[in-house]
């Protein structure tokens, strides 16, 4: 992907970030599409009937092959993401929280598979991946709107629309549907359907940590919208951007 960025003649700072976003867009589009297939084109009723994730649950139950494939993809991606965030991707203000997010997600994926809470996992992944598809697509248009020394209005318009839909879908999927469907099923329905369900507090604690991180990132979204409305930002940019080189220049200037 790096040669493609050079071929498009992107600005140096955008060319450095483009491969990261392009790779994530490719993965999240694949994983979310597969999640759509599992939840809406098979017999799994998890989305419309969240408590069904615990119907007929028992220790050591078989994991369906199609769900096992989803887990394999997600587990390998987030295992790699821990390394990538620390050593490959652009460092941002929320990179420490992002590392924590990847660790929590990988822990949830591994243990939910081991203890047969895979039905819940599919629902959790579906509700989160859609926002990452929109985020990376929007960021790519931000990077491509200034290429070859020319301003491209179409990419600017698409990035503005992407920002709006991303903000709305983040609230809807992660802060509304996630508690309504996932937390309701894991905190309440699980005890009703499977009394003394194992690791109840462990898994719900991790899901609550995930919820808190979603709220934390939503504050960045609110901050971004506020800056746009108050005229403090003339174009779409990631308010989390925090290049190490920029921080060094700022420190040197202060000295």
């Amino acid at each position: 992907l790096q040669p493609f960025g050079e071929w498009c003649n992107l600005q140096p700072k955008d060319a450095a970030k483009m491969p990261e976003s392009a790779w994530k867009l490719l993965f999240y589009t694949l994983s979310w599409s597969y999640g759509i297939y599992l939840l809406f084109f098979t017999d799994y009723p998890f989305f419309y009937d969240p408590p069904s994730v615990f119907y007929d649950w028992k220790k050591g139950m078989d994991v369906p092959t199609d769900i096992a494939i989803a887990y394999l993809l997600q587990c390998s991606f987030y295992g790699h993401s821990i390394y990538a965030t620390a050593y490959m991707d652009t460092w941002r203000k929320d990179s420490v929280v992002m590392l924590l997010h990847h660790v929590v997600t990988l822990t949830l994926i591994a243990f939910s598979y081991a203890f047969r809470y895979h039905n819940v996992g599919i629902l959790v992944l579906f509700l989160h991946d859609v926002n990452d598809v929109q985020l990376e697509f929007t960021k790519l248009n931000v990077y491509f709107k200034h290429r070859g020394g020319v301003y491209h209005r179409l990419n600017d318009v698409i990035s503005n629309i992407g920002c709006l839909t991303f903000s709305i879908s983040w609230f809807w999927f992660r802060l509304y549907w996630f508690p309504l469907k996932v937390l309701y099923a894991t905190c309440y329905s699980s005890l009703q359907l499977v009394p003394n369900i194992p690791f109840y507090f462990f898994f719900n604690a991790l899901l609550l940590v995930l919820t808190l991180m979603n709220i934390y990132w939503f504050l960045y979204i609110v901050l971004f919208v506020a800056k746009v409305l108050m005229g403090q930002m003339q174009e779409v940019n990631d308010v989390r951007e925090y290049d190490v080189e920029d921080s060094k220049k700022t420190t040197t200037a202060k000295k």
Side-chain angles (χ1 to χ4, degrees), residues 2 11-24 80-99 102 136 139 143 217 238-247:
Q2 286 180 338
Q11 297 183 53
K13 65 175 183 178
D14 294 332
K17 300 170 187 174
M18 187 278 295
E20 174 192 343
S21 290
W23 154 243
K24 289 180 179 179
H80 165 263
S81 293
I82 294 174
Y83 173 83
T85 301
Y87 298 107
M88 296 174 63
D89 298 344
T90 300
W91 194 257
R92 297 180 173 89
K93 295 178 183 178
D94 67 339
S95 289
V96 173
V97 179
M98 187 66 75
L99 276 172
H102 294 337
E136 302 307 335
K139 287 165 68 175
Y143 302 151
W217 278 309
D238 191 344
V239 295
R240 304 170 303 133
E241 291 298 323
Y242 180 78
D243 294 344
V244 175
E245 292 300 320
D246 291 342
S247 65

Side-chain angles (χ1 to χ4, degrees), residues 1 6 8-9 18 27 37-38 86 165 209 221 237:
L1 292 169
E6 295 171 0
C8 292
N9 199 15
M18 187 278 295
F27 172 79
Y37 163 74
L38 290 175
T165 58
V209 169
I221 297 173
N237 282 305

Side-chain angles (χ1 to χ4, degrees), residues 31-101:
S31 62
W32 191 57
S33 299
Y34 191 57
I36 291 176
Y37 163 74
L38 290 175
L39 292 174
F40 300 102
F41 294 93
T42 64
D43 295 329
Y44 299 126
F46 310 144
F47 184 81
Y48 297 108
D49 183 20
S52 67
V53 297
F54 294 107
Y55 291 173
D56 301 321
W57 181 92
K58 57 181 177 294
K59 294 180 181 179
M61 61 189 292
D62 292 334
V63 179
T65 302
D66 50 5
I67 291 181
I69 291 173
Y71 262 74
L72 177 62
L73 287 171
Q74 295 283 355
C75 195
S76 54
F77 174 78
Y78 282 103
H80 165 263
S81 293
I82 294 174
Y83 173 83
T85 301
Y87 298 107
M88 296 174 63
D89 298 344
T90 300
W91 194 257
R92 297 180 173 89
K93 295 178 183 178
D94 67 339
S95 289
V96 173
V97 179
M98 187 66 75
L99 276 172
L100 175 62
H101 169 271

Side-chain angles (χ1 to χ4, degrees), residues 27-28 31 70-82 85 96-114 117-118 120-129 132 170 174 178 202-203 205-214 217:
F27 172 79
Y28 285 121
S31 62
Y71 262 74
L72 177 62
L73 287 171
Q74 295 283 355
C75 195
S76 54
F77 174 78
Y78 282 103
H80 165 263
S81 293
I82 294 174
T85 301
V96 173
V97 179
M98 187 66 75
L99 276 172
L100 175 62
H101 169 271
H102 294 337
V103 171
V104 170
T105 303
L106 188 60
T107 303
L108 277 169
I109 290 172
F111 280 91
S112 65
Y113 185 89
Y117 296 137
H118 46 274
V120 185
I122 293 301
L123 192 54
V124 172
L125 292 168
F126 168 77
L127 292 176
H128 282 72
D129 284 350
D132 291 302
W170 184 284
R174 297 197 181 197
F178 182 71
F202 173 74
F203 282 107
L206 289 178
L207 289 173
L208 288 173
V209 169
L210 200 58
T211 304
L212 290 175
M213 285 189 284
N214 287 336
W217 278 309

Side-chain angles (χ1 to χ4, degrees), residues 182-200:
V182 174
L183 294 184
Y184 173 79
T186 59
C187 293
Y188 177 74
S189 300
S190 60
L191 291 178
Q192 305 299 313
L193 296 167
V194 188
N196 300 318
I197 188 169
F199 298 97
Y200 172 84

